[in-house]
Amino acid sequence: MLRIGICDDQMEARDALRFALEKVIREGAEQIVYEFSTGESAVRWLEKHPGEIDLLFLDVEMKGISGMEAAGQIREFDKELCIVFVTGYRDYVFDGYKVNALDYVIKPAGTERLSEVLGRVREKIFDKREENFIFKNPEGTYRIPLENISYFYSDKRKVNVVLKEKDEKEAYSFYGKLDQVETQLSGAFVRIHQRYLVNPGQVTYIGGESVTVGGKELPMSRNMKEEATVKLAKALLGGDRS
């Protein structure tokens, strides 16, 4: 499911864009799920819900913080979100490169132009699908790049996702089994313990009974030690992770 958000401080503009998009999105596979009336509200929400939106149509000229300023703030915590600027002026087009915008559309957005933009988004999203971990919890759906995940750990019936440069208190959680996560990741992460599955690219030290991941020392069980050590050593030395 390609999940789309719209941010514009004018209700009429949001309605017009939504109406045009509804003519070209693929039914059942793409959906407009959120609308924001200010850049501030979009930034706050997106920071708390990483990965819940794949594509954001962002108006450049808004009261409060502009769309360009909002995009800059979003890029501080989300490098992957597809941002498409919506503007009445072509003068802003080149500024979009500063925040790695995927594309832009000129108001009023026509269906032909929106189809072109969605084609680019689909290509980018689906090409990167295997590089992301997607999960759901009561707060929503998350899509997090694997490179941003330090490790997973299980706690009773929940799996917790610990992000790079974050601690376990800030982990995201969902109901599931670590075995299922390991299978889903197809060897991209290494199991070091019944409770821990680590990103080999985030491991900085391999000890006799533990490994250090993102500054956190995690236990390594005896029965998994031999296989895990080989895989992690290869990754630490820059070799094949398989």
Side-chain angles (χ1 to χ4, degrees):
M1 174 70 74
L2 179 64
R3 301 164 65 85
I4 302 169
I6 297 172
C7 180
D8 196 306
D9 60 349
Q10 297 182 354
M11 182 182 297
E12 296 83 0
R14 294 198 303 272
D15 291 343
L17 180 55
R18 184 180 66 251
F19 182 70
L21 281 168
E22 287 173 346
K23 293 181 178 180
V24 296
I25 60 177
R26 296 172 178 172
E27 186 175 354
E30 298 168 352
Q31 184 179 6
I32 301 168
V33 292
Y34 290 103
E35 294 186 18
F36 306 97
S37 59
T38 67
E40 292 93 338
S41 62
V43 171
R44 286 196 304 268
W45 192 89
L46 288 167
E47 188 169 15
K48 294 179 180 178
H49 300 82
E52 187 149 349
I53 287 179
D54 302 299
L55 165 63
L56 178 65
F57 284 92
L58 182 59
D59 182 37
V60 175
E61 305 90 21
M62 291 190 292
K63 295 178 181 178
I65 66 171
S66 70
M68 202 63 64
E69 291 172 317
Q73 292 180 26
I74 290 169
R75 284 296 181 238
E76 291 179 6
F77 57 82
D78 190 337
K79 307 294 186 186
E80 300 297 320
L81 175 67
C82 291
I83 295 177
V84 174
F85 283 120
V86 184
T87 176
Y89 307 94
R90 295 183 182 274
D91 297 345
Y92 292 105
V93 171
F94 292 105
D95 291 337
Y97 292 109
K98 299 176 183 178
V99 291
N100 194 27
L102 181 73
D103 213 326
Y104 72 95
V105 294
I106 299 295
K107 293 182 178 180
T111 54
E112 184 175 350
R113 177 62 179 139
L114 289 174
S115 293
E116 293 176 359
V117 171
L118 285 173
R120 291 194 64 196
V121 172
R122 290 167 189 145
E123 183 177 352
K124 180 179 180 181
I125 293 294
F126 294 129
D127 282 351
K128 286 184 169 291
R129 187 67 68 182
E130 294 182 358
E131 298 177 16
N132 299 308
F133 181 73
I134 302 171
F135 64 93
K136 294 181 180 181
N137 65 20
E139 295 181 355
T141 302
Y142 295 80
R143 173 182 51 82
I144 301 178
L146 294 184
E147 64 182 5
N148 290 348
I149 300 175
S150 288
Y151 61 93
F152 297 86
Y153 75 93
S154 61
D155 183 13
K156 297 179 181 178
R157 294 187 300 150
K158 288 186 177 181
V159 174
N160 298 275
V161 188
V162 181
L163 303 188
K164 184 169 56 176
E165 299 179 356
K166 302 287 186 179
D167 58 36
E168 292 185 357
K169 294 179 181 179
E170 300 173 281
Y172 295 99
S173 63
F174 62 95
Y175 285 102
K177 296 181 178 180
L178 205 57
D179 290 345
Q180 295 172 337
V181 175
E182 184 179 13
T183 300
Q184 181 179 339
L185 294 176
S186 303
F189 278 51
V190 176
R191 191 73 169 266
I192 63 168
H193 189 278
Q194 196 64 27
R195 294 186 59 211
Y196 293 98
L197 181 65
V198 305
N199 182 345
Q202 299 292 327
V203 173
T204 56
Y205 175 75
I206 306 170
E209 299 180 348
S210 66
V211 300
T212 301
V213 187
K216 173 78 172 181
E217 187 177 354
L218 303 178
M220 183 161 52
S221 64
R222 290 183 180 180
N223 60 329
M224 297 181 181
K225 177 179 177 180
E226 183 175 352
E227 182 177 357
T229 299
V230 171
K231 291 181 178 179
L232 293 174
K234 287 183 178 180
L236 198 62
L237 295 173
D240 184 11
R241 296 183 186 179
S242 61

